[in-house]
Amino acid sequence: MCRQRAMMKNVVVFGLSLMLLGCAQPMKWPAAPLYELPNTAPTAQSYWSERQVKQALVGHYAHYDIVAYEDTTARQPMRSFIVSYGFTDFRLEGDQLLEQDRFCRATHQLNYDTVTSFFNDQATQAIVPPPQAVEVTWQDGLWQIYRPATPTLLGITGNPALPLTQDPGDPDIIDADGDGKPGVTVDLTIAERWQEELYIIRREIFSNLMWWYPDGSLRGYVIDQSEQLVIGASRFFLNKASNPAQAKPIGLSPIWLVPIDEEIDTCAELMAQRDRWFPPEPRFVTANEEQP
């Protein structure tokens, strides 16, 4: 009898928390683009050869990108910003300029103040895209750098060229963040009271379209076609399909690379100096709040 009462109490409590989410007023996207690209005229770099540009781009960069997602499977659309920090390195191999990304931390923002989510650093650092040759072209007064997508699995092994499995019990699923749970864990706080978990696997599929500016920075946009599968949750009613797609317009998903000293190479150093290189993170706005 006591066990039945405890189970009923859990159902009532978490049912209430989901009602709070359903009744909460969703916040709005901020104005796009989140950050204006610099206005700049063609420079002497326009006379450089493609080889010279590739040589000049070789180096070590602080990496900041944002992807805006929208999940329409909930009663009201769940919108989010995933803000990623890390390092990007460019190196030359023959005539190819290779880009290597290494991630440190990802922060989440949701358009409901009744729910917050957290993705631990171990899960973020488990995303290891392979080196990828980038395309360098002269476009509209700036050098354009395009990084094609390199599908990368997270929380599961196998062939990243194939679509993500839809089987939550797939034997290739692994504990990528080392917390003893399958896949990678997303921590949820509901109504500032209840701590819950989602377990997911992903197939990361992103490309970058950037422009090289006279200050040495690369700025542009992320194009994301990633796939996600929820494989479990701490509560059965949270174990629901969620495969958010990138939101439009593209100005909600910027990328910003800043050249830095090669000696700055740890995630702790990067995060300690993030305000030195990058603007404030975006935030959602309430229905009555003016756009920034």
Side-chain angles (χ1 to χ4, degrees):
M1 179 66 69
C2 291
R3 182 179 179 184
Q4 289 178 332
R5 288 178 179 173
M7 290 177 65
M8 286 300 297
K9 180 180 179 181
N10 283 340
V11 170
V12 170
V13 167
F14 286 97
L16 176 60
S17 69
L18 293 179
M19 288 176 61
L20 288 172
L21 174 59
C23 297
Q25 183 68 29
M27 291 183 283
K28 302 184 296 182
W29 293 114
L34 298 179
Y35 313 116
E36 293 288 347
L37 294 175
N39 291 321
T40 183
T43 68
Q45 295 167 342
S46 63
Y47 302 104
W48 289 12
S49 67
E50 180 182 325
R51 175 71 180 183
Q52 287 175 305
V53 173
K54 289 180 177 179
Q55 289 173 329
L57 286 170
V58 169
H60 184 57
Y61 295 75
H63 179 123
Y64 173 72
D65 77 62
I66 301 167
V67 180
Y69 290 103
E70 186 164 27
D71 188 345
T72 58
T73 58
R75 183 189 307 175
Q76 298 189 56
M78 178 73 78
R79 300 176 179 130
S80 62
F81 286 120
I82 308 300
V83 185
S84 299
Y85 296 92
F87 297 102
T88 294
D89 290 278
F90 289 101
R91 70 177 190 271
L92 267 178
E93 287 191 4
D95 290 330
Q96 289 190 322
L97 181 65
L98 299 181
E99 176 179 337
Q100 177 70 72
D101 296 314
R102 174 164 62 95
F103 295 103
C104 288
R105 179 168 299 173
T107 65
H108 291 197
Q109 294 189 33
L110 300 175
N111 67 321
Y112 290 92
D113 57 12
T114 51
V115 179
T116 59
S117 63
F118 174 74
F119 202 53
N120 68 47
D121 290 350
Q122 289 76 16
T124 302
Q125 293 165 21
I127 304 170
V128 186
Q132 173 60 42
V134 300
E135 301 168 12
V136 177
T137 55
W138 177 256
Q139 296 282 342
D140 301 323
L142 285 171
W143 285 99
Q144 177 178 285
I145 293 84
Y146 174 67
R147 180 200 183 279
T150 54
T152 305
L153 295 175
L154 177 63
I156 186 170
T157 61
N159 185 352
L162 299 178
L164 188 66
T165 180
Q166 296 303 297
D167 178 9
D170 193 302
D172 288 335
I173 292 175
I174 60 173
D175 175 15
D177 52 6
D179 66 352
K181 313 290 177 57
V184 293
T185 300
V186 180
D187 294 294
L188 300 175
T189 300
I190 303 173
E192 298 184 346
R193 294 184 60 184
W194 299 293
Q195 306 296 320
E196 296 301 325
E197 296 177 341
L198 287 180
Y199 313 120
I200 65 172
I201 57 174
R202 288 179 58 84
R203 181 172 173 246
E204 301 284 350
I205 312 172
F206 64 87
S207 53
N208 300 330
L209 181 62
M210 303 174 287
W211 293 271
W212 188 34
Y213 288 93
D215 64 358
S217 68
L218 293 165
R219 307 187 200 186
Y221 302 106
V222 180
I223 300 121
D224 191 288
Q225 297 176 303
S226 299
E227 301 167 359
Q228 177 174 290
L229 178 70
V230 175
I231 58 173
S234 56
R235 302 283 175 174
F236 72 91
F237 44 80
L238 294 174
N239 188 11
K240 297 181 178 181
S242 177
N243 185 24
Q246 184 175 13
K248 296 180 180 179
I250 196 65
L252 292 172
S253 298
I255 183 171
W256 201 323
L257 307 182
V258 177
I260 61 174
D261 193 299
E262 291 187 0
E263 293 184 358
I264 302 172
D265 197 40
T266 69
C267 292
E269 290 174 307
L270 176 73
M271 298 312 301
Q273 301 186 62
R274 69 83 60 207
D275 293 342
R276 173 183 173 186
W277 301 305
F278 302 125
E281 292 186 3
R283 63 182 181 86
F284 288 96
V285 294
T286 63
N288 298 322
E289 186 178 4
E290 293 185 4
Q291 293 281 344

